[in-house]
Amino acid sequence: MSKYDIIVLGSGPGGYVTAIRASQLGFKTAVVEKENLGGVCLNWGCIPTKALLKSAEVFNYLKHAEDYGLTVKDAKHDFDAVVKRSRGVAEGMSKGVQFLMKKNKIDVINGFGKLKTGKKVDVTADDGKTTTYEADHIIIATGARSRELPNLPQDGKKVIGYREAMTLKEQPKKMIVVGSGAIGVEFAHFYNAMGTEVTIVEYLPTLVPVEDEDVSKQFEKSFKKAGIKVMTNAAVESVDTSGKGVKATVKTKKGEEILEADVVLSAVGIKTNIENIGLEDLGIKTDKDKIIVNEWYQTNVPGVYAIGDVVPGQALAHVASAEGILCVEKIKGMHVEALDYGNIPGCTYASPEIASVGLTEKQAKEQGYDIRVGKFPFSASGKASAAGKKDGFVKVIFDKKYGEWLGCHMIGAGVTDMIAEAVLGRKLETTGYEVLKAVHPHPTMSEAVMEAVAAAYDEVIHL
Ligand SMILES: Cc1cc2nc3c(=O)[nH]c(=O)nc-3n(C[C@H](O)[C@H](O)[C@H](O)COP(=O)(O)OP(=O)(O)OC[C@H]3O[C@@H](n4cnc5c(N)ncnc54)[C@H](O)[C@@H]3O)c2cc1C
């Protein structure tokens, strides 16, 4: 029986990053994976969606070339080629992980892994053969899949999840997107840009409901301007797939409405992959579909850990990676600091992009802070004007008493690349004054952060 220091179950951004850090720390490490290396993020999530969204962005530029003084006649798209490009990008990323595993001398064990008592893992390969491996530490990083609602069962054809949504053979003429979290709105934007008639149905009163209210409002305005039909305070009650397309019965405040479409994309969250992996046999505790862990990702069973989408916390790739790194550093005996879940950036890559970290204005008030808020619109930014991307703003929230940077919320072109400044500032416990005195380059979109902070301190220049 092969024996390892650490076996990681699952090779997503949680699992493969954990394995690399473990190997760097001198642990003999193996990763068990039943599909392609890289997990949802590289194969079915973060990366292939961003490839699709890049095609949408380029297509939009071509369609609006005249805005930039250019002539492009008959800008057309080849849906199949757009999907193929996205799959190619994902494949390349997965191969990159393969290379990293080799480089870091990590054994990749292909097959479905199941935990056994005595710190063992049974791995069943595609041919049905099961091999047992042993490790001092086993880290569960089996991730999640698309969540199915009972009244919206996915058949993979007319009612689909995200995997099908990024590999459709034919572009739908009409699509209903259920759920307006990051995944829902990214697909809604992509299909709308490609020419599909998109309706988005959201149960809560606003789109992207976890965001600051100002951001949600601006986002909804932009989506409507782009031609996406938005239904908030609305719930899909049932779907009828018996005809040629789909008929969805949607309950709204005004009553029931029947929507017709070629496909319905269900984007209502995730369901963790915690079934049949031996949790019950080992007595590992779970709660509300998540494995219970402490701040070092230890489960209630010594030597067994869990990280990534299977544990509570934001279901994001960078969170999964950070948790995995912390987990193995703690196993090594390093003095590590627990992850600050209040300082995790969240990004949405639709158009406009959204990026945020920390408290919303409402949360800050609810928590009793006396706050100063600053907002700087991109309509007043030279770089945004030059780029033809004037929609959106940066909003910052500070505690009046100590100047603590409580939250930062951005909406507009390229803001997902700008939020790291606020994450770092907050990590270093900077005050607004210090951000204000840190000279930002001109002309950049990032100047809007400095100006928003200046607005909070009544020192704004360009407004
Ligand atoms: C459409 C979409 C877009 C997204 N975009 C973003 C984004 O832009 N940014 C972001 O931060 N996050 C994004 N996410 C979320 C992100 O993909 C996840 O948070 C992240 O992949 C979680 O990483 P993980 O390692 O916990 O699990 P996963 O990436 O789900 O990986 C788990 C791996 O474990 C394997 N596995 C499961 N069970 C077993 C078993 N028993 N034996 C062996 N292998 C097993 C699976 O095959 C999989 O490869 C997106 C998700 C989706 C669906």
Side-chain angles (χ1 to χ4, degrees):
M1 189 194 306
S2 303
K3 169 102 200 276
Y4 292 91
D5 297 323
I6 292 181
I7 290 180
V8 187
L9 203 54
S11 74
Y16 87 77
V17 170
T18 305
I20 292 173
R21 187 70 187 119
S23 173
Q24 285 174 348
L25 292 171
F27 292 118
K28 187 183 176 204
T29 308
V31 159
V32 182
E33 175 54 61
K34 67 181 171 65
E35 292 183 43
N36 289 340
L37 289 174
V40 168
C41 178
L42 273 61
N43 296 288
W44 299 105
C46 327
I47 304 302
T49 51
K50 278 32 171 210
L52 295 175
L53 291 165
K54 181 49 86 174
S55 292
E57 185 189 354
V58 174
F59 192 37
N60 272 343
Y61 270 122
L62 294 178
K63 284 189 287 185
H64 298 107
E66 68 277 14
D67 295 351
Y68 298 87
L70 307 170
T71 308
V72 174
K73 277 197 184 135
D74 273 350
K76 285 198 184 86
H77 72 289
D78 175 346
F79 185 74
D80 200 36
V82 167
V83 170
K84 274 203 182 106
R85 174 178 181 273
S86 161
R87 297 320 303 157
V89 171
E91 210 175 292
M93 295 301 294
S94 181
K95 281 196 183 129
V97 176
Q98 218 170 309
F99 162 79
L100 289 174
M101 295 296 102
K102 238 189 216 156
K103 182 182 164 223
N104 288 282
K105 301 186 174 48
I106 295 160
D107 287 350
V108 175
I109 305 166
N110 298 307
F112 187 93
K114 183 171 182 174
L115 272 65
K116 292 281 177 195
T117 49
K119 294 193 187 165
K120 292 191 181 77
V121 179
D122 274 357
V123 181
T124 306
D126 280 352
D127 61 8
K129 201 176 146 217
T130 298
T131 311
T132 305
Y133 299 87
E134 204 181 339
D136 291 335
H137 308 276
I138 298 166
I139 302 174
I140 304 166
T142 48
R145 57 187 187 270
S146 179
R147 182 162 80 104
E148 283 200 52
L149 292 179
N151 55 345
L152 204 56
Q154 295 176 22
D155 60 11
K157 290 190 173 77
K158 289 183 184 174
V159 182
I160 60 174
Y162 58 81
R163 286 201 186 208
E164 294 85 12
M166 65 183 85
T167 49
L168 284 178
K169 293 266 175 295
E170 244 176 74
Q171 183 184 346
K173 286 194 173 61
K174 278 186 176 186
M175 178 182 236
I176 299 166
V177 177
V178 184
S180 76
I183 295 174
V185 298
E186 287 181 13
F187 277 113
H189 162 59
F190 167 72
Y191 276 101
N192 177 61
M194 291 290 129
T196 295
E197 203 179 298
V198 177
T199 302
I200 188 156
V201 180
E202 168 57 53
Y203 180 71
L204 292 168
T206 58
L207 292 187
V208 285
V210 297
E211 301 295 342
D212 188 272
E213 272 175 25
D214 287 350
V215 169
S216 291
K217 270 189 213 146
Q218 170 74 45
F219 189 79
E220 188 166 329
K221 229 189 326 180
S222 301
F223 251 35
K224 283 179 175 164
K225 198 167 124 192
I228 295 170
K229 189 177 170 201
V230 173
M231 295 175 80
T232 47
N233 285 312
V236 173
E237 289 200 311
S238 61
V239 281
D240 175 3
T241 55
S242 59
K244 195 163 170 275
V246 196
K247 279 186 184 161
T249 306
V250 181
K251 193 178 167 197
T252 69
K253 280 193 164 165
K254 288 184 202 146
E256 268 182 6
E257 206 175 305
I258 311 272
L259 301 182
E260 291 191 31
D262 301 309
V263 285
V264 174
L265 165 61
S266 175
V268 291
I270 55 167
K271 159 81 194 76
T272 57
N273 297 320
I274 57 172
E275 308 92 340
N276 308 317
I277 57 168
L279 299 188
E280 300 80 8
D281 300 348
L282 267 74
I284 293 174
K285 286 189 185 151
T286 62
D287 181 40
K288 297 191 190 91
D289 197 38
K290 301 269 183 174
I291 299 173
I292 300 174
V293 287
N294 66 10
E295 62 196 324
W296 311 120
Y297 309 101
Q298 294 159 336
T299 68
N300 58 307
V301 173
V304 181
Y305 312 76
I307 57 127
D309 279 4
V310 291
V311 301
Q314 298 95 325
L316 292 168
H318 40 288
V319 174
S321 302
E323 290 172 343
I325 289 170
L326 262 182
C327 177
V328 286
E329 288 180 348
K330 186 70 182 172
I331 292 172
K332 184 71 181 175
M334 291 168 67
H335 290 286
V336 286
E337 201 183 313
L339 197 61
D340 176 4
Y341 287 91
N343 199 29
I344 302 288
C347 294
T348 300
Y349 301 79
S351 179
E353 292 183 2
I354 298 172
S356 55
V357 67
L359 301 178
T360 62
E361 185 174 347
K362 191 168 170 229
Q363 287 166 341
K365 283 180 182 159
E366 280 168 0
Q367 292 185 20
Y369 285 102
D370 187 14
I371 55 174
R372 49 168 92 235
V373 177
K375 209 167 160 185
F376 189 79
F378 285 119
S379 56
S381 147
K383 182 69 182 285
S385 285
K389 299 283 179 191
K390 295 201 288 185
D391 282 351
F393 57 82
V394 173
K395 175 175 175 177
V396 291
I397 301 156
F398 287 92
D399 165 43
K400 248 188 199 161
K401 197 169 175 193
Y402 300 111
E404 184 188 351
W405 197 350
L406 298 173
C408 185
H409 307 273
M410 306 173 171
I411 178 165
V415 295
T416 54
D417 285 320
M418 282 164 51
I419 196 67
E421 172 175 359
V423 178
L424 184 64
R426 282 162 46 77
K427 175 78 183 164
L428 298 177
E429 299 184 1
T430 186
T431 63
Y433 184 78
E434 288 160 323
V435 183
L436 203 46
K437 297 302 168 198
V439 178
H440 285 55
H442 176 75
T444 58
M445 299 292 274
S446 72
E447 283 172 296
V449 177
M450 185 178 66
E451 289 273 35
V453 175
Y457 285 82
D458 293 326
E459 291 182 32
V460 68
I461 302 290
H462 291 100
L463 271 187

